[in-house]
Amino acid sequence: MGKHHDHQDCLQALRPIRDTLDVISGTWKLQIIISVNAGNRRFTEIQRSIPKLTPKVLAKELKELEQNGLIERTITEGYPILIEYFPTDYAHTLDQVVESLQYWGENHRRHIFGKDSKKEKETK
Amino acid sequence: MGKHHDHQDCLQALRPIRDTLDVISGTWKLQIIISVNAGNRRFTEIQRSIPKLTPKVLAKELKELEQNGLIERTITEGYPILIEYFPTDYAHTLDQVVESLQYWGENHRRHIFGKDSKKEKETK
DNA sequence: CATTTCACTATCCTTTAGGTAACTGCTATA
DNA sequence: TATAGCAGTTACCTAAAGGATAGTGAAATG
């Protein structure tokens, strides 16, 4: 009913928004993407680059990231077999999303803790 | 070390990104914001506008949204006392974030299911 | 021959998000 | 007086995410 932006639009926007959040949220997904982008290719290399990340969780996350086209798993035959993970071009389509999340988060921290410094939040 | 965008930058970006995701993710937060923006003000009114949302969860989410400055809770003395929830101006700073999540999600659905229609995902 | 590395998998456990159902004190309405 | 609405709270339960620990088979290294 509204000319540009009504309630139904908002509700219909929820599905793609949920999809995006499912793809990038969770404790490890963005960290893994960053690690692979930084040049880590092998399973144990990625694992060692991210403190506290266990192999069980890494294996699961890598599968999901691969299914979503954000990384590529390659097998190079030979002795021994070589398994590597690479960033995809498609992963860069996330850049604007990540940037806007980062920007808002930085501003929000100022908004909440800036003037009114009653509360402190764990910086960890 | 990179001129514009190195690994350290990426890691430092994680904290604000996590903050933003904490504020908006979860099953209900965006739906509640939409409902309040659409004009629902009273607790039960908001609850009725969102199917399957229970009072326990709504109470918890409203507190968090209020702490994050995204809605405002007002008490109007009188008989009976009137409690209302209002959208804040600050909530609109989320617009670009939400828009980029929506846009990426729409594109991703095409990317994954567009050409290669082997898999189908629940549309529910 | 023993140990280590690689890429994982298997089992079990804890934490957190969220759901179910009932109930509270208060006021309003029939 | 009985019932219903408002704005929640309480106690209990389930499912999913993630952590801890150990083990797998193959190959490489000492």
Side-chain angles (χ1 to χ4, degrees):
Chain A
M1 296 211 167
K3 268 188 237 163
H4 301 299
H5 195 68
D6 72 16
H7 185 219
Q8 278 309 312
D9 290 342
C10 290
L11 287 179
Q12 280 163 17
L14 277 172
R15 196 191 64 179
I17 292 169
R18 283 267 104 247
D19 286 347
T20 306
L21 292 174
D22 289 348
V23 170
I24 63 171
S25 66
T27 316
W28 304 111
K29 295 212 176 68
L30 287 171
Q31 277 179 262
I32 293 167
I33 291 174
I34 291 170
S35 174
V36 173
N37 271 323
N40 296 302
R41 301 280 175 258
R42 315 288 300 275
F43 189 92
T44 42
E45 204 176 14
I46 297 166
Q47 196 197 328
R48 277 193 296 257
S49 76
I50 303 175
K52 314 264 181 182
L53 175 55
T54 62
K56 189 195 86 170
V57 173
L58 178 57
K60 194 198 117 217
E61 302 285 23
L62 286 171
K63 271 172 205 157
E64 293 181 22
L65 291 172
E66 201 199 353
Q67 277 172 19
N68 283 309
L70 299 175
I71 59 172
E72 214 195 321
R73 181 183 192 267
T74 66
I75 305 173
T76 309
E77 301 291 342
Y79 298 94
I81 250 180
L82 178 64
I83 296 175
E84 287 170 300
Y85 296 90
F86 290 93
T88 60
D89 291 346
Y90 181 63
H92 288 296
T93 61
L94 271 175
D95 290 352
Q96 320 106 68
V97 175
V98 169
E99 208 176 303
S100 75
L101 291 171
Q102 180 187 349
Y103 182 81
W104 194 86
E106 284 165 352
N107 185 67
H108 186 57
R109 205 163 259 270
R110 272 179 249 120
H111 183 82
I112 297 288
F113 303 114
K115 322 208 155 194
D116 163 44
S117 54
K118 287 165 210 159
K119 305 179 175 182
E120 290 293 322
K121 200 176 176 183
E122 350 73 64
T123 293
K124 244 194 174 175
Chain B
M1 299 217 163
K3 269 188 238 163
H4 301 299
H5 196 68
D6 73 16
H7 184 219
Q8 278 309 311
D9 291 339
C10 291
L11 287 179
Q12 281 164 15
L14 276 173
R15 196 191 64 177
I17 292 168
R18 283 267 104 247
D19 286 347
T20 306
L21 292 174
D22 289 348
V23 170
I24 63 172
S25 65
T27 317
W28 304 111
K29 295 213 177 65
L30 288 171
Q31 278 180 261
I32 293 167
I33 291 173
I34 291 169
S35 174
V36 174
N37 271 322
N40 296 302
R41 300 280 174 258
R42 314 289 299 275
F43 189 93
T44 44
E45 204 177 14
I46 297 166
Q47 195 196 329
R48 277 193 296 257
S49 76
I50 303 174
K52 313 265 180 182
L53 175 55
T54 62
K56 186 195 89 170
V57 173
L58 177 57
K60 194 195 117 219
E61 302 287 23
L62 286 173
K63 271 172 204 159
E64 292 180 23
L65 291 172
E66 200 200 353
Q67 277 172 19
N68 282 309
L70 300 174
I71 58 172
E72 214 196 321
R73 182 183 192 266
T74 65
I75 306 173
T76 307
E77 302 291 343
Y79 299 95
I81 250 180
L82 178 64
I83 295 174
E84 286 170 301
Y85 295 91
F86 291 93
T88 60
D89 291 346
Y90 182 62
H92 287 297
T93 62
L94 272 175
D95 290 353
Q96 321 106 68
V97 174
V98 168
E99 207 176 304
S100 76
L101 291 171
Q102 180 187 351
Y103 182 79
W104 194 86
E106 283 165 354
N107 185 67
H108 187 57
R109 204 163 259 269
R110 272 178 248 122
H111 184 81
I112 297 289
F113 304 114
K115 322 210 155 193
D116 161 45
S117 53
K118 286 165 210 158
K119 304 179 178 184
E120 291 292 324
K121 199 177 179 184
E122 349 76 61
T123 291
K124 178 187 197 204

